[in-house]
Amino acid sequence: MKIKIDLSVLTEILNLKNKQEEDVITELKKIYKDFEFNLIDGVAEIDIDDINLMPDQVHNNLVGLCEKGSLNKALQKAQSLLTKYPHSSELNRILAQIYFQTGDIVQAENFLISALKLNPKNTYALILMGNLQHERSELESALSYWNTALKYDPDDYLSLSNIASLLAQQNHLDEAKSFFEESIKVNSKFPNALYGLALVYYNQGEMDFAFDKVVTALKCSKPKEEVYENAKQLAIEISKELTKNNLPEVESDIHQQKDDLIKKSKKKIKIELSNTIDTLAKLEVAEYKNKDYHRLLYKKKDLTVPHLMLHELYHLEFIIEARKIQNNFLFTSNQSHLDKFFKELSNFRAGLSKKGIPSENIKKLITSLFNGLNSQVFNTPIDLFIEQNIYKNHPKARPVQLLSLYKIISDGVKATTDKEVVNIMPKSIVSKSKILNLVHALWYKKFYGIDLVPEFKSNKIERNQAENLYHEYLEYSKDKEPSEEYELLKHWAEDLDLDGLFELKKENTNKSKTAEDVIDEVNSDPYGVESEEPDYIVEERRKFIESHGSDEINTAVVMYMVGALDFFNSRSKEDIKKIAFEFATLGMTGIDPSKGNYEVPSINKKMSGYQALAYYYVSWALGIPEMLSDLGMPFQEEYELAKKAL
């Protein structure tokens, strides 16, 4: 082919610009002595057939080696090809690229000069030469090569992005922004330009635009790539800034969501600061706490709390929606589920016992695993729907959502990959927990581009199962109906063979007790047996409990415990112990606070759910105190208050 190029441009490309014109021509004739070279009216004409010098398949194989990172193999292959295709501009350019990537700048420049001699319009060689000059901090020279590449290919997004980066480094931010935008117009998925534009917006204080572009850059890049790592760090920094800036809007969203839920549930919602909860935010559903209002508790010590508060409110919304169609479910587990779990881990328990670990510690560990898995099974599918709602309905909360989920998923990585944890825990339990964490990570990758999946170090089976669960979620998410989260929950539990850990019971909202119902019941029969004490004593006790207990105290349970303490007062420890085991047997089938008609042989009396739980706890506290913690019943505060009220 005949290449036509202005003499001045050719002189600059081949770095002959400091010579006189006749010397330049003499030098060019030496360079092109093996080719037909003419100079007509200041235009150099070079007849070089570069089209068929290296077959496409040979070229593609060589490029494939480079893309795989097999640079040593690629270098050997390219060097062997050079004797066969010495006049290939592209082969020389590839050799230059390999040397540049391996840090041999001198050799890279030599081969680039050869590539540009053979084809001065080789835009890839021009870009690489610009990159090389930029590496040497020769900024003007770099800009010259990139501009030349643009002359031959105005849609060269690489050169556009490189020029923008150079302008940004020189603090010409508006000009840099224009070039980055032009690059993105040509290739909307070029991560370098997207990241560069995000950085410009960040430096100009335009945080919303910066956030949008950096997330897109993350979605278009891959872990371990330099641009991905840079974009991830920038995304976190931008999110921190925006979380602070957007706090008023996010707080407004929280209160708007609260107001909407008040209308839907026809109950008040109290938002209260609490330092006693074990999480950063916690929802208390009115009916489950026997109160006439819902409570959203939160700790104010973490930047991500607003996201978690929104998240908890959406849990309530899902419950309300399911109740509208009378299809809400209660996630319950009892002693029989725990016993089954213990049985399944009998070998694990035996192994720990052989290592000299006390049986009490083993029980606590396995109970903790049981509770943790149950929490994951219940929350993971529901949480995905909730996070999608937050993402869709609360754009100002996206930066805090990015930060919050990054922390949550990173904690999941640590919990399932930490060597100390992995070495001691049952492999099947760690694997199932990892799969559920992976599903969350897949959602996060899709919406925010941060890919934490590789950090779980999962095997192929775990990844495939997580992807299958995630794709099932995606199908449900297209047109999710109220209560369908429970359907998905059941499917996932069955797929992971975790459905034996719990039971989903349909909630009977018509029979749910209000706080007033519970107090009335307590006033009519506070002890759970026929009481002969005057009403004024019962009323005084109730007032004492309400004045000395916190809002988190279950008044009904305390009143029933007072009755239980009085009931057991005249009985021997052996009798109490016997009754304690009778309650344990009753508890194996589950005790539902909202139901009644519970009884044990030694107490010939029908009891409500809370009444049975209160007697259950007190019997163990008095008869078998050394095993009380094994019950896992959260009534210690109620018990202490009941002893004072007696």
Side-chain angles (χ1 to χ4, degrees), residues 631-644:
L631 295 181
M633 295 171 69
F635 294 142
Q636 184 177 354
E637 288 185 54
E638 282 82 355
Y639 181 60
E640 294 301 321
L641 188 56
K643 288 191 291 184
K644 294 176 184 177

PDB file of all heavy atoms in Angstrom, residues 631-644:
ATOM      1  N   LEU A 631     -31.085 -22.718  77.379  1.00  0.00           N
ATOM      2  CA  LEU A 631     -32.428 -22.496  76.836  1.00  0.00           C
ATOM      3  C   LEU A 631     -32.428 -21.457  75.719  1.00  0.00           C
ATOM      4  O   LEU A 631     -33.245 -21.508  74.805  1.00  0.00           O
ATOM      5  CB  LEU A 631     -33.388 -22.033  77.940  1.00  0.00           C
ATOM      6  CG  LEU A 631     -33.697 -23.031  79.062  1.00  0.00           C
ATOM      7  CD1 LEU A 631     -34.674 -22.404  80.045  1.00  0.00           C
ATOM      8  CD2 LEU A 631     -34.264 -24.319  78.487  1.00  0.00           C
ATOM      9  N   GLY A 632     -31.528 -20.481  75.823  1.00  0.00           N
ATOM     10  CA  GLY A 632     -31.487 -19.417  74.816  1.00  0.00           C
ATOM     11  C   GLY A 632     -32.708 -18.519  74.872  1.00  0.00           C
ATOM     12  O   GLY A 632     -33.097 -17.926  73.860  1.00  0.00           O
ATOM     13  N   MET A 633     -33.336 -18.407  76.046  1.00  0.00           N
ATOM     14  CA  MET A 633     -34.540 -17.577  76.193  1.00  0.00           C
ATOM     15  C   MET A 633     -34.127 -16.192  76.709  1.00  0.00           C
ATOM     16  O   MET A 633     -33.482 -16.084  77.757  1.00  0.00           O
ATOM     17  CB  MET A 633     -35.534 -18.244  77.154  1.00  0.00           C
ATOM     18  CG  MET A 633     -36.073 -19.572  76.615  1.00  0.00           C
ATOM     19  SD  MET A 633     -37.039 -20.496  77.844  1.00  0.00           S
ATOM     20  CE  MET A 633     -38.488 -19.460  78.015  1.00  0.00           C
ATOM     21  N   PRO A 634     -34.525 -15.122  76.016  1.00  0.00           N
ATOM     22  CA  PRO A 634     -34.041 -13.770  76.346  1.00  0.00           C
ATOM     23  C   PRO A 634     -34.841 -13.089  77.458  1.00  0.00           C
ATOM     24  O   PRO A 634     -35.346 -11.974  77.295  1.00  0.00           O
ATOM     25  CB  PRO A 634     -34.227 -13.034  75.020  1.00  0.00           C
ATOM     26  CG  PRO A 634     -35.435 -13.670  74.413  1.00  0.00           C
ATOM     27  CD  PRO A 634     -35.385 -15.120  74.817  1.00  0.00           C
ATOM     28  N   PHE A 635     -34.968 -13.759  78.607  1.00  0.00           N
ATOM     29  CA  PHE A 635     -35.832 -13.231  79.662  1.00  0.00           C
ATOM     30  C   PHE A 635     -35.083 -12.935  80.956  1.00  0.00           C
ATOM     31  O   PHE A 635     -35.699 -12.882  82.028  1.00  0.00           O
ATOM     32  CB  PHE A 635     -36.975 -14.216  79.956  1.00  0.00           C
ATOM     33  CG  PHE A 635     -37.943 -14.400  78.822  1.00  0.00           C
ATOM     34  CD1 PHE A 635     -38.483 -15.648  78.551  1.00  0.00           C
ATOM     35  CD2 PHE A 635     -38.307 -13.326  78.023  1.00  0.00           C
ATOM     36  CE1 PHE A 635     -39.377 -15.823  77.510  1.00  0.00           C
ATOM     37  CE2 PHE A 635     -39.201 -13.492  76.982  1.00  0.00           C
ATOM     38  CZ  PHE A 635     -39.740 -14.742  76.717  1.00  0.00           C
ATOM     39  N   GLN A 636     -33.783 -12.713  80.895  1.00  0.00           N
ATOM     40  CA  GLN A 636     -33.025 -12.493  82.126  1.00  0.00           C
ATOM     41  C   GLN A 636     -33.484 -11.224  82.846  1.00  0.00           C
ATOM     42  O   GLN A 636     -33.655 -11.216  84.072  1.00  0.00           O
ATOM     43  CB  GLN A 636     -31.526 -12.406  81.810  1.00  0.00           C
ATOM     44  CG  GLN A 636     -30.664 -12.270  83.066  1.00  0.00           C
ATOM     45  CD  GLN A 636     -29.183 -12.268  82.754  1.00  0.00           C
ATOM     46  OE1 GLN A 636     -28.778 -12.474  81.632  1.00  0.00           O
ATOM     47  NE2 GLN A 636     -28.373 -12.023  83.766  1.00  0.00           N
ATOM     48  N   GLU A 637     -33.684 -10.142  82.069  1.00  0.00           N
ATOM     49  CA  GLU A 637     -34.114  -8.878  82.682  1.00  0.00           C
ATOM     50  C   GLU A 637     -35.501  -9.030  83.307  1.00  0.00           C
ATOM     51  O   GLU A 637     -35.765  -8.505  84.398  1.00  0.00           O
ATOM     52  CB  GLU A 637     -34.123  -7.758  81.638  1.00  0.00           C
ATOM     53  CG  GLU A 637     -32.732  -7.300  81.222  1.00  0.00           C
ATOM     54  CD  GLU A 637     -32.787  -6.118  80.284  1.00  0.00           C
ATOM     55  OE1 GLU A 637     -33.421  -5.113  80.644  1.00  0.00           O
ATOM     56  OE2 GLU A 637     -32.210  -6.215  79.203  1.00  0.00           O
ATOM     57  N   GLU A 638     -36.390  -9.745  82.603  1.00  0.00           N
ATOM     58  CA  GLU A 638     -37.734  -9.958  83.134  1.00  0.00           C
ATOM     59  C   GLU A 638     -37.674 -10.739  84.456  1.00  0.00           C
ATOM     60  O   GLU A 638     -38.406 -10.433  85.404  1.00  0.00           O
ATOM     61  CB  GLU A 638     -38.583 -10.724  82.108  1.00  0.00           C
ATOM     62  CG  GLU A 638     -39.119  -9.886  80.954  1.00  0.00           C
ATOM     63  CD  GLU A 638     -38.109  -9.670  79.840  1.00  0.00           C
ATOM     64  OE1 GLU A 638     -36.934 -10.085  79.987  1.00  0.00           O
ATOM     65  OE2 GLU A 638     -38.485  -9.079  78.822  1.00  0.00           O
ATOM     66  N   TYR A 639     -36.788 -11.737  84.495  1.00  0.00           N
ATOM     67  CA  TYR A 639     -36.667 -12.574  85.694  1.00  0.00           C
ATOM     68  C   TYR A 639     -36.163 -11.767  86.889  1.00  0.00           C
ATOM     69  O   TYR A 639     -36.706 -11.864  88.004  1.00  0.00           O
ATOM     70  CB  TYR A 639     -35.727 -13.744  85.402  1.00  0.00           C
ATOM     71  CG  TYR A 639     -35.557 -14.699  86.573  1.00  0.00           C
ATOM     72  CD1 TYR A 639     -36.650 -15.384  87.119  1.00  0.00           C
ATOM     73  CD2 TYR A 639     -34.299 -14.907  87.130  1.00  0.00           C
ATOM     74  CE1 TYR A 639     -36.479 -16.255  88.187  1.00  0.00           C
ATOM     75  CE2 TYR A 639     -34.120 -15.780  88.195  1.00  0.00           C
ATOM     76  CZ  TYR A 639     -35.229 -16.449  88.728  1.00  0.00           C
ATOM     77  OH  TYR A 639     -35.062 -17.307  89.795  1.00  0.00           O
ATOM     78  N   GLU A 640     -35.139 -10.930  86.656  1.00  0.00           N
ATOM     79  CA  GLU A 640     -34.591 -10.106  87.743  1.00  0.00           C
ATOM     80  C   GLU A 640     -35.642  -9.142  88.272  1.00  0.00           C
ATOM     81  O   GLU A 640     -35.754  -8.908  89.484  1.00  0.00           O
ATOM     82  CB  GLU A 640     -33.354  -9.342  87.253  1.00  0.00           C
ATOM     83  CG  GLU A 640     -32.166 -10.218  86.892  1.00  0.00           C
ATOM     84  CD  GLU A 640     -31.687 -11.067  88.066  1.00  0.00           C
ATOM     85  OE1 GLU A 640     -31.690 -10.552  89.212  1.00  0.00           O
ATOM     86  OE2 GLU A 640     -31.343 -12.250  87.856  1.00  0.00           O
ATOM     87  N   LEU A 641     -36.445  -8.570  87.368  1.00  0.00           N
ATOM     88  CA  LEU A 641     -37.488  -7.624  87.775  1.00  0.00           C
ATOM     89  C   LEU A 641     -38.614  -8.348  88.513  1.00  0.00           C
ATOM     90  O   LEU A 641     -39.179  -7.833  89.485  1.00  0.00           O
ATOM     91  CB  LEU A 641     -38.034  -6.900  86.542  1.00  0.00           C
ATOM     92  CG  LEU A 641     -39.007  -5.743  86.802  1.00  0.00           C
ATOM     93  CD1 LEU A 641     -38.389  -4.685  87.715  1.00  0.00           C
ATOM     94  CD2 LEU A 641     -39.414  -5.104  85.469  1.00  0.00           C
ATOM     95  N   ALA A 642     -38.930  -9.568  88.075  1.00  0.00           N
ATOM     96  CA  ALA A 642     -39.991 -10.348  88.735  1.00  0.00           C
ATOM     97  C   ALA A 642     -39.619 -10.651  90.183  1.00  0.00           C
ATOM     98  O   ALA A 642     -40.470 -10.600  91.088  1.00  0.00           O
ATOM     99  CB  ALA A 642     -40.238 -11.640  87.961  1.00  0.00           C
ATOM    100  N   LYS A 643     -38.352 -10.968  90.437  1.00  0.00           N
ATOM    101  CA  LYS A 643     -37.905 -11.258  91.809  1.00  0.00           C
ATOM    102  C   LYS A 643     -38.061 -10.028  92.702  1.00  0.00           C
ATOM    103  O   LYS A 643     -38.396 -10.146  93.886  1.00  0.00           O
ATOM    104  CB  LYS A 643     -36.445 -11.723  91.796  1.00  0.00           C
ATOM    105  CG  LYS A 643     -36.272 -13.129  91.218  1.00  0.00           C
ATOM    106  CD  LYS A 643     -34.872 -13.693  91.459  1.00  0.00           C
ATOM    107  CE  LYS A 643     -33.818 -12.975  90.673  1.00  0.00           C
ATOM    108  NZ  LYS A 643     -32.473 -13.576  90.839  1.00  0.00           N
ATOM    109  N   LYS A 644     -37.827  -8.843  92.117  1.00  0.00           N
ATOM    110  CA  LYS A 644     -37.982  -7.613  92.899  1.00  0.00           C
ATOM    111  C   LYS A 644     -39.455  -7.289  93.150  1.00  0.00           C
ATOM    112  O   LYS A 644     -39.816  -6.697  94.177  1.00  0.00           O
ATOM    113  CB  LYS A 644     -37.329  -6.448  92.161  1.00  0.00           C
ATOM    114  CG  LYS A 644     -35.816  -6.565  92.050  1.00  0.00           C
ATOM    115  CD  LYS A 644     -35.254  -5.423  91.219  1.00  0.00           C
ATOM    116  CE  LYS A 644     -33.740  -5.572  91.017  1.00  0.00           C
ATOM    117  NZ  LYS A 644     -33.199  -4.498  90.146  1.00  0.00           N
TER     118      LYS A 644
END
